[in-house]
DNA sequence: CGGCAATTTGAACATTTTCAATACGGGTGG
DNA sequence: CCACCCGTATTGAAAATGTTCAAATTGCCG
């Protein structure tokens, strides 16, 4: 399907590739990324696999999808990556891939191991690197938001409680904001919380949510 | 509202701050970021304003929200940023802020101008910087997805068509993937497209979507 | 103690999803 | 070159889910 023709300008040459240029290709530098062809329909990696390779898209289109919890069917795409994007870059901050990547248009991808990517990025503790890592962590922490896209209100709320309670966070956020974050109106949020409470998964007062029965909660989160 | 107490560990000292350490504070370095106090309820910046300052959260909580199109009311929060996060970091890749940032828990924020931040990050065209910039661009390109959170199916689809057609992109994505991206089932996507076509906003064939009347389309996107 | 704002509850309403059936288009083999 | 087949996209009607609007409740603060 197309929306007006319009071309996507594949990158064919390391000298015109941002990664290549940053590596100093042509000025004696060497780029650690090596190109591979991937046909439309193939998967580059799956959610949950060890994140061993970082990729860069030189040509084609890749769709990222994430399924709440475990390994994915092919549900819930959440982003499209085209020429000039890194994919699997979460390898820098996560031991496993956080989503699955599927080629939807024949692609040329340049890949390199996590170690080489890390070397390539230069010393840790430099401003650019800590910033990069923080930004990556922040993007991928938005997992709940991605999960928010699908599932019933009760499931999303259950997932959110699980997620937030896991690291003992104390959001102190007004309910209507949380509701918003989860993509629902405050009334719906309230009802969902009430249901979680009715089923015995949480203890609920107006000011505090406490996990009472994590297993039940997990069940409710699953559906 | 809380989910179990649990502390948030504010950063009180530049020597324990990632940004401070990366700047070499204590080893003769100097961190360009300077601290400011912000009370709960205040806004740090608004969507659409010139993005002149990059912030780092040392204490407190900030909620990011984005409204499709123009300047925001306080609708549709889409992310929470806590201690250790950068906010307004889109300043590096965008002339204006892409969302509004509102403090929800008294905060200490360290800020510095875009220029200083850029200096601080080191020379452009280094691997870490081009990677950072690419990742930022990718995160913020997910705007359509954020917009996806609210509005009716027809509105979201209209917005998507507008967005994709704007830069002449040719996604060639299967419909069920696009539908997914927009947070709806393929059937709903199909119906929405049919409606857009019925109202004369687009030309629709099974394989191609062409914008026929951008104004009508914009109206439909607005609601 | 009274008033205010946030939250919860209820019932009608609107939208989206579901499930099932049909149409379309591209590719294959005759 | 055409008929047939298969997977994708579309349409229809019923059911589920979330939203809206209005009213009642709760906790906080003066």
């Amino acid at each position: 399907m197309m929306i007006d023709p319009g071309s996507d300008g594949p990158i064919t040459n390391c000298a015109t590739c941002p990664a290549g240029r940053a590596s100093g290709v042509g000025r004696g530098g060497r780029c650690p990324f090596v190109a591979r062809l991937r046909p439309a329909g193939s998967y580059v990696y799956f959610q949950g696999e060890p994140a061993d390779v970082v990729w860069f898209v030189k040509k084609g289109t890749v769709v990222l999808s994430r399924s709440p919890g475990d390994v994915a069917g092919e549900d819930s795409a959440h982003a499209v990556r085209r020429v000039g994007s890194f994919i699997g870059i979460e390898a820098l901050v996560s031991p496993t891939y956080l989503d699955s990547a599927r080629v939807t248009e024949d692609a040329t991808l340049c890949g390199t191991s996590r170690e080489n990517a890390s070397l390539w990025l230069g010393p840790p503790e430099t401003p650019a690197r800590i910033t990069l890592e923080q930004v990556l962590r922040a993007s991928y922490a938005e997992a709940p938001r991605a999960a928010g896209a699908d599932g019933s209100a009760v499931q999303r709320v259950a997932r959110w409680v699980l997620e937030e309670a896991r690291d003992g966070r104390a959001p102190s956020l007004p309910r209507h904001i949380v509701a918003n974050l989860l993509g629902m109106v405050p009334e719906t949020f309230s009802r969902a919380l009430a249901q979680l409470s009715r089923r015995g998964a949480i203890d609920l007062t107006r000011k505090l949510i406490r996990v009472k029965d994590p297993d039940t909660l997990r069940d409710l989160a699953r559906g």
Side-chain angles (χ1 to χ4, degrees), chain A residues 42-49 62-67 70-79 81 87-88 90 97-103 140:
Chain A
S42 62
Y43 277 83
V44 186
Y45 52 79
F46 291 93
Q47 175 176 2
E49 279 180 1
V62 176
V63 171
L64 268 24
S65 61
R66 193 178 297 171
S67 69
D70 39 18
V71 185
E74 85 150 64
D75 352 31
S76 81
H78 69 94
R81 290 288 128 93
I87 62 175
E90 66 262 44
Y97 290 116
L98 270 6
D99 34 38
S100 301
R102 178 156 166 268
V103 176
Y140 289 102

Side-chain angles (χ1 to χ4, degrees), chain A residues 154 157-158 160-161 175 188-199 202 204 209:
Chain A
V154 174
V157 172
W160 173 83
V161 173
R175 293 229 160 140
T188 303
F189 183 57
S190 185
R191 283 183 242 270
L193 241 21
Q195 183 143 148
L196 259 34
S197 167
R198 236 175 287 125
R199 307 248 183 131
I202 61 175
L204 186 59
I209 298 169

Side-chain angles (χ1 to χ4, degrees), chain A residues 104-121:
Chain A
T104 57
E105 256 176 80
D106 289 344
T108 305
L109 304 176
C110 283
T112 194
S113 70
R114 187 218 318 250
E115 293 73 30
N116 283 338
S118 180
L119 253 28
W120 179 69
L121 288 168

Side-chain angles (χ1 to χ4, degrees), chain A residues 66 98 132-145:
Chain A
R66 193 178 297 171
L98 270 6
L132 173 61
E133 283 167 20
Q134 198 286 310
V135 169
L136 287 173
R137 258 188 293 273
S139 311
Y140 289 102
E142 267 148 51
R145 181 180 152 227

